[in-house]
């Protein structure tokens, strides 16, 4: 069966490979599978599979126009020794929860799970669709996507990659990781603005027909590595299926037993993948959506009203500092009964007024979701507490999830086995992690902190961090939001 993808805002329908190439649909909507496939094998079979086998099983039901050979080739190139463990996504039990560590890839954050495979999916998709143009990946990042995408696409023939990041909105290590990126096809640009400004600027360029025309004339076309691309969403479903299989294989749960997942959320991509895993047939009970002080999603789940008109706060979990969670559109479309007109109207209200409200009937379909948030202090406290009681050190984003899980358990008394999605290595956010453990560490320099964390946690400093200690800065461009397009034109010579 050939699974097609449809826009959330119109009737536009494409194949999987076309959806990956296009990123966004022509009307500004997001591509969604016309139906979510059911898992093609039993949970016992899943429990016997390694990561690559699980990935193939899940992805083949979504990306039906890829051949077995193509898909297995992409998977083999992605989940290899770039990851520092053969398990790829290990599950660590600490303090009555299971931490699904998604940070063992090249840039030590969960974006690697999808961005190590996206370039291969995209170049395969280009061949399938006889695309002759060079593909220009245009990306806005709140810190982690940028480096993961740069790593994935650097020196991949037939591609260029341009990354915009908020100059004052990422951690020092995140910035250093990006501005030291090698590869003649890469460009990294800081902007005077926040992540939403960067994302809106990128979306605007995607929707600009004049720019598209000028690109085509010179043999270029845009695509997106942001989490709106289904080529990112689909690989993210894999680790939820894999985690369930591992819990089953290790005897932590019985066959068919329900688990909850807690996801530290920004753009709503990761938790949406969990929702798709559930729809595929994985026994997931609640999808617990954890926000930081930018709690627009918490408010939405409470009230049915999405309102981005509020102050944008910079927190110690910068990859979740987002007020427009793009992937939520896919869920809105679904709870609207897959009605593109209803969704398009709400998204128009979001663009024009910064706010929309769902109907009570739509709200009823959100029963699987539970939203809450953790303040800066609550997240720091969670790091401190977990370290003190178990010796396990988590990063600032994972800490938001752990703190929200604590609130959930306190409110409900629900003891269902729960997976907390661990989205970054603590080595990426060393200062705030170490400060949470003990204030005294704040006096140290960034790299002293790295060494101190290694000693305290007994974990070797990851290569991704070693590498940037001495790497030269190769990207120095910083522009106003209004100059983003000029930066693109300059780099491409158009
Ligand atoms: C991107 C990111 C998130 C948020 O994930 P979304 O899919 O955008 O919701 C959370 N934590 C870290 C470390 C991230 O890099």
């Amino acid at each position: 069966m050939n699974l097609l993808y449809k826009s959330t805002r119109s009737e536009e329908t494409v194949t999987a490979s076309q959806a990956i190439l296009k990123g966004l649909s022509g009307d500004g909507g997001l591509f969604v599978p016309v139906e979510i496939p059911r898992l093609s094998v039993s949970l016992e079979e899943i429990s016997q599979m390694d990561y690559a086998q699980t990935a193939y099983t899940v992805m083949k039901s979504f990306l039906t126009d890829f051949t077995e050979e193509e898909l297995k080739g992409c998977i083999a190139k992605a989940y290899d020794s770039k990851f520092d463990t053969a398990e790829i996504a290990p599950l660590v039990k600490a303090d009555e929860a299971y931490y699904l560590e998604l940070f063992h890839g090249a840039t030590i954050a969960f974006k690697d799970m999808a961005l190590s495979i996206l370039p291969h999916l995209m170049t395969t998709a280009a061949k399938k669709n006889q695309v002759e143009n060079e593909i220009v990946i245009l990306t806005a990042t709140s810190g982690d996507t940028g480096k993961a995408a740069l790593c994935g696409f650097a020196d991949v023939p037939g591609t260029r990659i341009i990354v915009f990041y908020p100059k004052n909105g990422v951690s020092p290590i995140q910035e250093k990781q990006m501005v030291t990126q090698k590869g003649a096809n890469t460009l990294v640009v800081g902007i005077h603005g926040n992540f939403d400004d960067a994302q809106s600027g990128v979306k605007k360029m995607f929707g600009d027909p004049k720019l598209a025309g000028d690109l085509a004339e010179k043999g270029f076309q845009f695509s997106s590595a942001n989490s709106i691309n289904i080529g990112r969403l689909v690989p993210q479903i894999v680790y939820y299926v894999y985690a369930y299989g591992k819990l089953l294989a290790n005897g932590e749960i019985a066959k068919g037993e329900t688990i909850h997942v807690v996801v530290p959320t920004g753009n709503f991509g990761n938790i949406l993948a969990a929702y798709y895993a559930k729809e595929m047939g994985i026994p997931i009970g609640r999808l617990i959506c954890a926000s930081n002080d930018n709690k627009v999603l918490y408010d939405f789940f409470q009230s049915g009203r999405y309102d981005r008109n509020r102050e944008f706060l910079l927190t110690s979990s910068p990859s979740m500092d987002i007020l427009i969670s793009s992937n939520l559109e896919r869920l809105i479309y679904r709870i609207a009964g897959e009605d593109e007109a209803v969704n398009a109207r709400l998204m128009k209200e979001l663009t024009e007024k910064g706010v929309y409200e769902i109907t009570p009937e739509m709200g009823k379909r959100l029963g699987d979701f539970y939203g809450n948030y953790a303040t800066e202090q609550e997240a720091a406290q969670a790091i401190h507490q977990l370290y003190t009681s178990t010796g396990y050190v988590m990063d600032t984003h994972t800490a938001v999830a752990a703190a929200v899980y604590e609130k959930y358990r306190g409110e409900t008394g629900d003891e269902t086995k729960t997976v907390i999605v661990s989205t970054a290595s603590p080595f990426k956010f060393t200062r705030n992690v170490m400060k949470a453990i003990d204030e005294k560490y704040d006096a140290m320099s960034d790299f002293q902190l790295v060494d101190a964390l290694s000693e305290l946690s007994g974990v070797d400093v990851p290569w991704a961090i070693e590498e940037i200690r001495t790497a030269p800065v190769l990207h120095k461009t910083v522009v106003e939001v209004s100059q983003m397009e000029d930066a693109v034109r300059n780099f491409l010579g158009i």
Side-chain angles (χ1 to χ4, degrees):
M1 194 201 68
N2 196 15
L3 182 64
L4 293 177
Y5 288 77
K6 184 184 158 300
S7 165
T8 51
R9 298 192 195 176
S10 74
E11 295 290 344
E12 183 177 345
T13 304
V14 296
T15 63
S17 64
Q18 287 164 347
I20 290 171
L21 279 175
K22 292 191 76 167
L24 272 179
S25 86
D27 49 66
L30 275 55
F31 288 114
V32 286
V34 294
E35 71 181 291
I36 296 175
R38 299 289 295 180
L39 211 55
S40 58
V41 298
S42 70
L43 295 172
E44 277 109 330
E45 284 170 277
I46 289 289
S47 73
Q48 299 308 312
M49 290 182 184
D50 66 15
Y51 197 86
Q53 290 164 332
T54 314
Y56 177 66
T57 304
V58 171
M59 291 174 66
K60 75 166 197 246
S61 10
F62 280 93
L63 309 180
T64 52
D65 67 334
F66 285 67
T67 66
E68 176 171 350
E69 193 190 350
E70 285 168 343
L71 208 45
K72 286 189 170 164
C74 291
I75 290 167
K77 280 185 233 157
Y79 304 112
D80 60 6
S81 60
K82 288 191 287 302
F83 286 77
D84 67 9
T85 162
E87 287 180 87
I88 307 295
L91 205 53
V92 177
K93 190 173 185 184
D95 206 14
E96 299 307 308
Y98 302 88
Y99 288 81
L100 178 61
E101 295 187 348
L102 302 181
F103 56 75
H104 289 273
T107 74
I108 59 174
F110 101 93
K111 306 293 193 291
D112 290 326
M113 301 306 296
L115 282 164
S116 48
I117 194 165
L118 182 70
H120 306 296
L121 294 175
M122 204 170 265
T123 46
T124 307
K127 271 192 216 116
K128 289 181 104 51
N129 290 280
Q130 285 93 40
V131 169
E132 307 279 340
N133 284 339
E134 203 168 323
I135 292 169
V136 181
I137 302 296
L138 201 56
T139 292
T141 184
S142 57
D144 291 331
T145 298
K147 180 62 182 183
L150 287 161
C151 262
F153 282 96
D155 293 326
V156 172
T159 71
R160 301 222 194 169
I161 171 153
I162 305 173
V163 170
F164 292 97
Y165 73 96
K167 174 73 188 155
N168 297 316
V170 300
S171 85
I173 289 184
Q174 285 179 316
E175 180 170 37
K176 186 94 196 271
Q177 278 188 305
M178 287 191 279
V179 297
T180 56
Q181 179 65 46
K182 294 183 205 139
N185 67 336
T186 66
L187 175 70
V188 180
V189 182
I191 64 152
H192 294 299
N194 61 35
F195 170 71
D196 286 332
D197 297 324
Q199 180 158 264
S200 302
V202 162
K203 276 194 174 173
K204 201 168 131 221
M205 285 189 260
F206 271 114
D208 181 345
K210 166 87 172 69
L211 185 56
D214 293 351
L215 284 168
E217 215 168 90
K218 291 284 167 79
F220 294 113
Q221 72 186 59
F222 279 147
S223 190
S224 161
N226 273 87
S227 64
I228 49 173
N229 193 311
I230 62 112
R232 284 215 19 214
L233 198 54
V234 171
Q236 290 178 181
I237 302 167
V238 174
Y239 45 77
Y240 291 103
V241 176
Y242 178 75
Y244 192 89
K246 285 297 151 274
L247 287 172
L248 194 54
N250 299 341
E252 300 286 346
I253 55 171
K255 193 193 142 206
E257 186 172 334
T258 296
I259 61 164
H260 297 330
V261 297
V262 192
V263 188
T265 297
N267 226 352
F268 211 76
N270 203 355
I271 194 164
L272 189 76
Y275 174 72
Y276 281 8
K278 178 179 168 118
E279 297 278 291
M280 285 191 88
I282 297 296
I284 294 173
R286 300 216 107 176
L287 300 148
I288 300 176
C289 177
S291 301
N292 65 20
D293 279 322
N294 292 295
K295 58 185 181 59
V296 61
L297 287 166
Y298 165 71
D299 293 339
F300 169 71
F301 285 117
Q302 288 288 105
S303 66
R305 189 179 150 87
Y306 193 96
D307 185 358
R308 63 147 305 187
N309 299 315
R310 61 182 76 202
E311 196 187 344
F312 184 101
L313 301 166
L314 294 178
T315 73
S316 57
S317 40
S319 303
M320 299 160 67
D321 290 343
I322 290 174
L323 293 179
I324 304 177
S325 297
S326 302
N327 271 294
L328 185 65
E329 177 169 349
R330 289 186 161 109
L331 184 64
I332 298 294
Y333 171 75
R334 207 164 162 84
I335 62 172
E338 317 221 309
D339 185 330
E340 62 276 345
V342 171
N343 177 65
R345 178 172 53 74
L346 295 178
M347 294 307 133
K348 188 157 174 265
E349 286 171 19
L350 181 63
T351 311
E352 288 172 2
K353 298 188 213 115
V355 55
Y356 64 81
E357 194 157 347
I358 59 170
T359 63
E361 189 178 79
M362 288 168 73
K364 282 196 205 115
R365 302 199 178 120
L366 291 176
D368 293 340
F369 288 87
Y370 166 90
N372 212 326
Y373 73 103
T375 62
E376 289 289 275
Q377 205 195 344
E378 287 165 339
Q381 178 61 27
I383 293 174
H384 185 89
Q385 196 263 325
L386 188 63
Y387 172 69
T388 318
S389 60
T390 69
Y392 184 70
V393 182
M394 63 181 160
D395 98 291
T396 48
H397 301 75
T398 310
V400 168
V404 163
Y405 177 51
E406 200 54 40
K407 287 189 182 179
Y408 172 77
R409 278 218 313 201
E411 269 174 30
T412 60
D414 185 349
E415 298 292 320
T416 304
K417 305 246 171 56
T418 297
V419 168
I420 294 177
V421 178
S422 181
T423 49
S425 158
F427 283 94
K428 204 159 183 176
F429 301 95
T430 340
R431 179 163 304 277
N432 286 311
V433 167
M434 293 299 276
K435 229 167 76 178
I437 290 173
D438 193 325
E439 279 290 340
K440 74 175 184 199
Y441 289 113
D442 206 21
M444 291 185 174
S445 74
D446 285 323
F447 282 104
Q448 280 173 330
L449 284 168
V450 163
D451 294 326
L453 172 58
S454 176
E455 201 168 298
L456 176 132
S457 62
V459 177
D460 290 341
V461 177
W463 170 244
I465 300 293
E466 282 301 346
E467 187 185 19
I468 57 169
R469 278 190 207 254
T470 52
V473 172
L474 301 173
H475 301 270
K476 295 182 180 152
T477 312
V478 180
V479 302
E480 298 301 325
V481 175
S482 59
Q483 299 167 322
M484 287 170 65
E485 184 177 328
D486 295 336
V488 170
R489 286 182 177 274
N490 269 340
F491 180 58
L492 300 177
I494 60 171

